Amino acid sequence: MPKEDFSRKALAYSKFYGGKVGVSPKVPVRSLDDFSIWYTPGVAAVSRAIAEDAELSFEYTGRWNTVAVVTDGTRVLGLGNIGPEGALPVMEGKSLIYNYLGGVNAIPLPVRAKSEEGLIDLVRALEPSLGGVNLEDIESPKCFDVLDRLRAEMKIPVWHDDQQGTAGVTLAALFNALELTGRKLKGSRIVLFGAGAANVAAERLLVKAGVNPKDIVVLDSKGILHPERDDIDQLMLKNRWKYEIAIHTNGDRITGGLKDALKGADALVCAAGQGPELVKPDEIRVMNKRSIAFFMANPVPEMLPPAALAAGAEIVATGRSDYPNQVNNSLMFPAIFRGALDVRAKTITDPMVIDAAHELAAFAREKGISKDYILPTMVQWEVYPRVAAKVAQAAIREGVARRKMTAAESLRVATETIEHSRKVMNALRRNGIILDPPE
Amino acid sequence: MQIRRARKEDLPAVADLIVRTKRLNNEFDPLFAVVADAKTRAEKYIGSTIGVPDKLLLVAAEGSKIVGVLRAEMRERLFYEPHHEGFITDFYVLPEYRRKALGNEVLQQASAELRKMGAEIIVADVPSRNEIANNFYSKRGFRALTSSFGKSP
């Protein structure tokens, strides 16, 4: 379907349905008497129990499965700072995906925050109602600080999808691309073009997954990051995440631009900005044989796949669904939270994300990877419970789970919860409660 | 890592580090905008320090690579005791060599050399708004002695 069609339909359908998600009951109302159970006076007993032990809020209410999708609207998709109201349709869409693919009760919640501190205060104040927080579309470098502080201060998982989600799926794609081209993670030379939320997180995950930081070269808009770049002191003050990367990556002290970085590189991961000619064929040509190139910018990748393939790249991926190998956050975030919520995790650690990436890659390998299929697609829904179960087990191993369960139980619980969401959707459609849109 | 007096051949590398300190000052304060030909000026400035008896130019070197510099000179405090001060005009360590006690070692060695040159007090000159420099000296027992105030006329 052409892009204009998607846009036209999105406007028409959004108006027709008046939004994409809403709160719906989970309990029967058989007679008015039931209200005396679900509400006063019966509910007071539940409140008293929770007041005595707040942890019971995870048992007696929907908190265990509830995630807020929070944004301040400062960096929405490729649209920039369009404000919280403008971000609402995006957060609704994300909530729908959380629900349908992860069985998560996700609530879209753009907020008007005047400052970083204000945003942190707002999110922190939401904790009693939530099993987790998904931060979304917050500008960099503010997003790093917000995530780090909220992760440290809240006892429920806080996830910034533009950092951890994108990086996690990228890692999964890279696992299989390296496998197909006969490489190991360790020893591969990887270039990250762009030093915003996604690639800063990708760098950290790559290192934790086993890449030698000396084999990674990161570029921002001013060129290759290295410890002696002229603006290094400025980075230390203004963007300490990028500063740390400049200090510990790039063991060969390569300086200059993308072409310099790509000489002898095995893989390129771009999260740099709108293409289609941000990366040029002569830059791809200097990479090693059987090179890997991911172009993650949406809607226009830094380079279009046919051009990259023509320039010699063997495996090419983008963020788009109309080319093979879509590296899409939606493959990960529903499963990450399914797994984290199932064991009442207090946080989502990097090893949990890395395990999720391994499982995502393993699923694709079982189906048979090729240069046009390095990741599962969103319609292979069986992948979600499997990834969720790995996340749950990793949380237990990492010591951040409030609840223990076996691997088999994890898989069963995740499968049931996700299937429940799909059953609800099917039932609502079958019964004409959710109508098909008018043509 | 070696901390030693600078030699003529260190000049270009040292000048580069000196310019970095000036740029860093500018990060904190717009009234420290760095001139375009700062590198040339830095070479001249440093060149006139090497081998001068009441001036000190120390470098930290890893092999042939200069990773830090400290420039100081002896000054007289006309009206005050202690009378002779060892006055640190410039001090810089490349970021990747920070947090490894190198700065501390350079400062220690400079203090010792300045004492030998007659210093009874060690004074370092840093812009008020340069938090990194202010923290560095405060943590090592230095305290603010004078303040200079500036405004555009």
Side-chain angles (χ1 to χ4, degrees):
Chain A
M1 197 188 298
K3 186 171 174 277
E4 303 73 52
D5 260 23
F6 284 130
S7 303
R8 184 181 54 77
K9 287 189 171 171
L11 278 168
Y13 293 2
S14 294
K15 191 160 181 192
F16 175 75
Y17 291 106
K20 298 184 270 289
V21 290
V23 175
S24 59
K26 292 163 70 178
V27 296
V29 179
R30 294 157 297 182
S31 71
L32 284 183
D33 265 0
D34 274 343
F35 286 132
S36 305
I37 297 168
W38 306 132
Y39 198 50
T40 181
V43 73
V46 186
S47 283
R48 267 198 302 274
I50 295 174
E52 268 177 39
D53 177 3
E55 290 288 303
L56 289 177
S57 59
F58 287 96
E59 308 290 329
Y60 285 139
T61 74
R63 184 179 179 186
W64 65 276
N65 198 32
T66 301
V67 168
V69 183
V70 180
T71 183
D72 62 356
T74 49
R75 195 191 177 285
V76 180
L77 309 175
L79 305 172
N81 189 345
I82 60 166
E85 289 88 351
L88 188 50
V90 185
M91 303 310 124
E92 281 196 345
K94 190 121 195 171
S95 299
L96 177 68
I97 295 173
Y98 260 123
N99 185 279
Y100 189 69
L101 295 175
V104 176
N105 178 38
I107 303 166
L109 211 59
V111 296
R112 182 166 292 116
K114 287 204 173 65
S115 63
E116 181 177 320
E117 211 52 46
L119 179 59
I120 289 171
D121 281 346
L122 269 165
V123 177
R124 209 169 26 203
L126 297 172
E127 182 164 352
S129 304
L130 302 175
V133 176
N134 177 104
L135 300 172
E136 195 76 22
D137 291 351
I138 299 168
E139 64 196 352
S140 153
K142 175 162 74 175
C143 64
F144 301 124
D145 238 340
V146 171
L147 178 67
D148 286 356
R149 285 198 40 205
L150 289 175
R151 279 180 84 178
E153 292 174 24
M154 294 177 79
K155 291 188 180 64
I156 54 172
V158 183
W159 170 263
H160 182 212
D161 207 38
D162 306 300
Q163 294 180 60
Q164 297 151 289
T166 308
V169 186
T170 302
L171 191 63
L174 209 47
F175 286 151
N176 281 344
L178 291 169
E179 167 95 14
L180 277 172
T181 54
R183 295 179 167 102
K184 296 262 176 287
L185 200 55
K186 206 175 198 140
S188 291
R189 300 202 35 186
I190 300 170
V191 173
L192 305 179
F193 182 34
N199 271 353
V200 165
E203 191 273 340
R204 191 184 68 236
L205 281 189
L206 284 170
V207 172
K208 288 198 178 169
V211 181
N212 184 345
K214 305 281 180 210
D215 291 336
I216 300 176
V217 175
V218 184
L219 297 97
D220 67 1
S221 55
K222 290 185 189 150
I224 295 175
L225 287 167
H226 63 91
E228 287 171 54
R229 212 168 79 162
D230 276 349
D231 61 346
I232 189 78
D233 285 303
Q234 184 187 30
L235 285 180
M236 182 173 75
L237 299 168
K238 296 200 172 133
N239 190 329
R240 63 189 151 92
W241 299 270
K242 215 149 95 172
Y243 171 80
E244 291 299 334
I245 288 174
I247 296 288
H248 72 245
T249 61
N250 191 0
D252 291 339
R253 300 297 176 106
I254 303 164
T255 59
L258 186 58
K259 199 169 177 178
D260 304 291
L262 287 176
K263 263 177 217 131
D266 299 307
L268 164 67
V269 177
C270 301
Q274 297 301 305
E277 283 173 357
L278 206 57
V279 179
K280 301 186 183 59
D282 60 314
E283 291 163 337
I284 297 296
R285 272 188 213 112
V286 300
M287 294 181 73
N288 282 341
K289 287 211 169 67
R290 311 201 72 185
S291 62
I292 298 160
F294 296 172
F295 306 103
M296 313 285 285
N298 274 325
V300 188
E302 288 84 350
M303 184 176 196
L304 295 177
L309 292 164
E314 179 167 326
I315 297 180
V316 177
T318 68
R320 277 182 28 175
S321 55
D322 51 348
Y323 291 110
N325 297 327
Q326 186 189 18
V327 180
N328 182 341
N329 298 21
S330 304
L331 286 170
M332 186 164 276
F333 68 78
I336 285 275
F337 261 105
R338 181 72 276 129
L341 292 168
D342 286 344
V343 293
R344 317 271 194 271
K346 293 179 191 138
T347 187
I348 295 162
T349 63
D350 286 339
M352 288 160 71
V353 183
I354 292 168
D355 279 16
H358 276 299
E359 188 65 7
L360 213 47
F363 182 92
R365 279 201 299 277
E366 286 164 27
K367 304 283 168 192
I369 50 173
S370 69
K371 71 188 197 48
D372 286 338
Y373 179 79
I374 56 172
L375 281 176
T377 64
M378 276 171 75
V379 295
Q380 293 175 310
W381 82 272
E382 328 88 81
V383 73
Y384 291 92
R386 276 185 48 178
V387 174
K390 291 289 176 187
V391 171
Q393 290 303 302
I396 294 167
R397 189 186 71 227
E398 289 272 295
V400 298
R402 290 184 176 87
R403 220 186 187 196
K404 308 273 186 288
M405 54 175 82
T406 63
E409 276 177 294
S410 287
L411 185 60
R412 183 182 56 78
V413 169
T415 306
E416 281 174 9
T417 314
I418 295 172
E419 270 181 350
H420 178 81
S421 269
R422 301 170 62 85
K423 281 184 197 159
V424 169
M425 169 69 84
N426 290 340
L428 291 173
R429 290 195 57 202
R430 209 171 37 243
N431 290 292
I433 298 160
I434 293 181
L435 299 170
D436 285 340
E439 272 318 312
Chain B
M1 190 73 68
Q2 189 195 10
I3 300 169
R4 57 166 173 81
R5 293 245 180 182
R7 302 188 278 256
K8 274 267 181 309
E9 61 267 29
D10 302 329
L11 239 150
V14 170
D16 180 58
L17 297 190
I18 294 287
V19 175
R20 282 173 183 261
T21 66
K22 307 308 169 195
R23 283 214 206 97
L24 179 57
N25 290 337
N26 189 209
E27 287 301 325
F28 294 99
D29 194 334
L31 284 179
F32 287 88
V34 177
V35 294
D37 61 341
K39 180 86 194 269
T40 319
R41 292 181 191 222
E43 285 188 13
K44 219 185 237 171
Y45 170 67
I46 290 299
S48 68
T49 304
I50 294 178
V52 179
D54 64 345
K55 289 181 179 162
L56 175 69
L57 190 62
L58 282 185
V59 294
E62 193 176 54
S64 60
K65 185 180 165 65
I66 306 297
V67 304
V69 61
L70 184 149
R71 183 191 177 281
E73 57 196 32
M74 291 303 299
R75 287 188 184 179
E76 203 179 342
R77 299 167 84 221
L78 197 51
F79 298 106
Y80 305 112
E81 298 285 352
H83 194 59
H84 299 289
E85 70 180 8
F87 189 88
I88 299 170
T89 54
D90 306 272
F91 188 10
Y92 187 83
V93 172
L94 276 175
E96 65 187 305
Y97 296 91
R98 291 175 199 164
R99 289 180 251 166
K100 293 171 185 163
L102 177 63
N104 210 34
E105 279 174 52
V106 174
L107 181 64
Q108 291 292 332
Q109 195 162 323
S111 300
E113 301 256 356
L114 288 165
R115 218 164 26 241
K116 275 189 246 163
M117 291 158 71
E120 300 152 309
I121 180 172
I122 307 292
V123 175
D125 181 47
V126 300
S128 302
R129 290 188 179 176
N130 184 333
E131 292 161 31
I132 299 178
N134 280 283
N135 288 340
F136 178 84
Y137 288 112
S138 300
K139 271 191 201 150
R140 284 159 183 81
F142 288 70
R143 67 174 175 81
L145 280 185
T146 61
S147 301
S148 62
F149 289 81
K151 93 186 249 261
S152 304

